[in-house]
Amino acid sequence: MIHVWPTVNSNMDAQLHCRHKSMSAVIGKNGVTHHKREGDLATPLGIFPLRQVFYRADRITKPQAALPVIPLTPKDGWCDDPSSSCYNQHIQLPSSFRHEALWREDAVYDLIVVVGYNDSPADPGKGSAIFMHLQRPNKTPTEGCVALTEADLRFVLATGATEITIHPAR
């Protein structure tokens, strides 16, 4: 089990606890929320399953994980368009619907863990593309995801983690 605890005096800083280890994490620019909406820049609160892992095989080695691990291709995307029947789902590009490309120039999505938020079934507009992914070098906030260093995200995956709990600030 993974636990994320936002830092009291910062919307975007958090601590992620996994087994005996505490790690620095970055969350959404607007902190955490019980009422997640598409584009609100907040990280959803709750207990969520971890679904699968994507990684850039051309840049990093395959991570060890209990979850399915899938290499990314330039055609991989994630639909964040509430008007699409594929909302909050992995898609193949090109797509006429609004989406995120998972194959990026920066390293943020070199390692992605899909968080099972609003996906069973997806409620259009309630938020999409909630991942655990890599931090930017300057540790800027996410748009609602949880970001870790590559070493820390690999550690979490290697523990066999299959669930994450995102808590309110304490």
Side-chain angles (χ1 to χ4, degrees):
M1 172 72 79
I2 306 166
H3 293 273
V4 177
W5 297 94
T7 305
V8 175
N9 295 324
S10 170
N11 280 347
M12 63 178 212
D13 294 323
Q15 288 292 307
L16 184 140
H17 301 272
C18 180
R19 292 211 177 153
H20 62 280
K21 189 172 179 181
S22 181
M23 299 157 248
S24 177
V26 179
I27 57 174
K29 180 180 180 180
N30 291 327
V32 293
T33 183
H34 282 290
H35 306 288
K36 176 82 183 134
R37 302 299 307 161
E38 190 69 42
D40 67 2
L41 305 178
T43 301
L45 290 163
I47 302 170
F48 309 108
L50 302 177
R51 302 285 190 206
Q52 60 194 5
V53 179
F54 291 104
Y55 75 105
R56 285 280 303 256
D58 62 319
R59 292 186 177 170
I60 65 171
T61 59
K62 183 178 179 178
Q64 182 181 9
L67 304 168
V69 179
I70 304 156
L72 285 169
T73 74
K75 293 188 174 200
D76 286 307
W78 201 271
C79 182
D80 59 7
D81 190 334
S83 69
S84 171
S85 62
C86 295
Y87 179 66
N88 199 24
Q89 293 178 43
H90 176 243
I91 58 170
Q92 293 297 300
L93 303 178
S95 172
S96 60
F97 292 102
R98 192 179 73 215
H99 61 275
E100 276 194 66
L102 299 183
W103 187 273
R104 295 170 52 136
E105 291 301 314
D106 65 15
V108 173
Y109 283 178
D110 283 3
L111 183 56
I112 307 168
V113 181
V114 178
V115 176
Y117 167 76
N118 188 36
D119 67 347
S120 186
D123 184 357
K126 194 175 173 186
S128 64
I130 302 299
F131 306 131
M132 291 176 61
H133 61 68
L134 301 182
Q135 293 176 354
R136 291 177 181 85
N138 59 0
K139 296 188 177 184
T140 55
T142 70
E143 294 183 19
C145 298
V146 175
L148 297 168
T149 66
E150 183 178 346
D152 286 343
L153 188 48
R154 283 181 178 278
F155 171 84
V156 168
L157 290 171
T159 67
T162 59
E163 190 172 78
I164 186 169
T165 302
I166 302 170
H167 299 272
R170 49 178 166 171

